[in-house]
Amino acid sequence: MADSPWVVVDNLYFARGEMDIFRGVSLSIPRGKVTAIMGPSGTGKTTLLKLIGGQLVPDSGRVTVDGHDVHALSRRALFRLRRRMGMLFQSGALFSDLNVYENVAFPLRVHTDLPDSMVRDVVLMKLEAVGLRGARYLMPSELSGGMSRRVALARAMVLDPELIMYDEPFVGQDPISMGVLVQLIKRIHEALGLTAIVVSHDIKETLSIADYVYVIADGQVMAHGTPETLDVEEDPRVRQFVHGEPDGPVPFHYPADNYYHDILDVRNG
Amino acid sequence: MVDLIARLGRHGCETIESLGRAGMFLARSAVGMPSREGWSLWLRQMYAVGVLSLAIVLVSGVFIGMVLGLQGYTILVDFGAEQALGQMVALSLLRELAPVVAALLFAGRAGSALTAEIGLMKATEQLSSMEMIGVDPLRRIVAPRLWAGFVSLPVLTVGFGVVGIWGGYLVGVQWLGIYEGSYWSNMQASVAFFGDVGNGMIKSLVFAWVVTWIAVFQGYDLVPTSEGISRATTRTVVYSSLAVLGLDFVLTALMFGGLS
Amino acid sequence: MKRSKMVELSVGLFMLAGILGLLFLGLRVSGLTFDAPRETFTLEANFSNIGSLKPRSRVTMAGVTVGRVSDIELDTDWYDARVVMEIDGELEDQLSRDTTAAILTAGLLGEQYVGLSVGGDPDTLGDGDTINDTQSAVVLEELIQQVVSNMATD
């Protein structure tokens, strides 16, 4: 059981309206490792996290977390399972009516009966870990993007979950706070041995912290492997993504009519 | 032509589906309210929804009462019946104007704010993240707001009625010089506590449910973009105003229609 | 902490204001009194025409309100209107048997009410008794018709 994967996604299909997002995605997330899920924007990486967290229900296929089929659980059991997962949202998603301290304390307050003094110890410990112990009385609106993501990370860790899911942790960050976040995530997972899923399209940063990488495109797993093997992958689509080439098998142009005819049409009309 | 009918059909299906969602939503969030935590959340919402709407409701109430006093006087004086001003002001306020106007103001002031607030929480993923922490946002975010609205509007309606009657008194008695005793005694002789005040309260309870429900559901169900939020806020005001006016007719017909 | 005290206090005042407002509407506006469940007894009276008398109309005696009309129905024996009144309990067995009831109008176009006036019979009216001597409502159209026909015959 100890080395069986923590999360298994098995042949997952999901469509939003007319659009297919996943067409048979299968992947497994090993225990105690950092697994990255990468892919171009708009391939539904965030959707995948929501499917794992049970917020969305797939059209077919199964997601098992620690042996539980997420979408067959009762609401109560699902909420209990979620206490063992932390999730870091793209925007941080701090509760805007609570200050930094209360935001981090929130999961403790709703899920435990710890006395206030102990809540305080735990919260300050987590805030110290992300370097924001001094910012505890600020409101979320007073934080910069990088700071609020760090607070959100402290909140995601406060219940000592076994799995943390990161949704685009690096997007829209200046190089310094990006470096801070990379360092933080790396340190946390090395020190605590937590399982992590990092969803991102920032290749360099993600590859530097991931133990294993899945690349998703067109609703399917396009490639997977360790960062080293992906770097020398032959598949042109993977090469284009990993090396950030502007044009290639994934076209630069949105599908359109023939350019020549389009232009002439306008002139005639 | 076939296309048109098909579009109509699809529209109908969507409407029914969203009504169903709204019903499920209400059922799931309205139950399981009291807890120590819930109590303080409810208090905070009472402040935001009720106390902060008090000013606008009271000011409008005074003005409506004053206008009623003035208009009523000019009509009644033709029949030499200006002594009945108190009766007219009180009955029209308690039966109709207080529940309806207070509900409309409430939809504009508190309802739209509720929609925007919940909508913004959805857009910034606060609802999602709460769910991932293992807390049901329906219980934590929606339920206190729903109950706060349900309790606030009747209180606001009472306030509206009281200051309205006072406004009528100001104009009728203080300004136009109707005898004070007949203002009150005519009122007391014609207003029945259970028939008029009670029915007005029942109306306002119904409106409170409908307006808060629409506001909160529109916020919870919106498309999480800035355009989606602005549309949902508009929808809240439009839908709840229409619902209040429509239901008012139905309730009036049920309560006073059969009275010969 | 201070802020949440403020919130609690203002919500408390808000609710208190609501209760006081409801009390005002009850006492001052609807004229409820706290000794409300007053003893009453019922009297009945048949009128050949009640005009626009309604349930809840006042019943007065020498201008003082002593009760309310509780029910009006058509008496199918005589095809006239039976009016049931609830009268102040203090007057039970006090009103003489030949008390008369008349339907009067407050002002020219005002609401109609029942006026009672006592006679001299030593027997008194008890709960459920019927007043025999009644005077119907004055219907304006009939009055005008009478005046017009009187003028025609003159």
Side-chain angles (χ1 to χ4, degrees), chain B residues 43-44 46-47 50-51 54 90 94 151-152 155-156 158 162 165 184 187-193 197 201 260, chain C residues 3 6-8 10-11 14-15 18 21-22 24-32 54-56 58 68 109 111:
Chain B
L43 264 183
R44 203 158 353 135
M46 279 300 291
Y47 180 77
V51 177
L54 196 60
L94 294 175
V151 176
S152 304
V155 175
L156 293 171
V158 169
V162 170
I165 288 169
W184 294 113
M187 196 183 286
Q188 286 172 5
S190 57
V191 176
F193 186 70
V197 181
M201 284 293 104
S260 56
Chain C
R3 220 198 81 170
M6 258 276 296
V7 168
E8 278 172 30
S10 58
V11 173
F14 177 70
M15 297 301 287
L22 205 60
F24 173 83
L25 290 184
L27 298 180
R28 184 81 210 213
V29 175
S30 340
L32 282 189
K54 291 188 180 67
R56 297 204 307 105
R58 284 183 301 150
R68 285 182 183 279
L109 296 164
E111 66 172 331

Side-chain angles (χ1 to χ4, degrees), chain C residues 95-109:
Chain C
L95 304 174
S96 63
R97 187 154 287 281
D98 59 352
T99 294
T100 58
I103 294 180
L104 307 171
T105 309
L108 187 58
L109 296 164

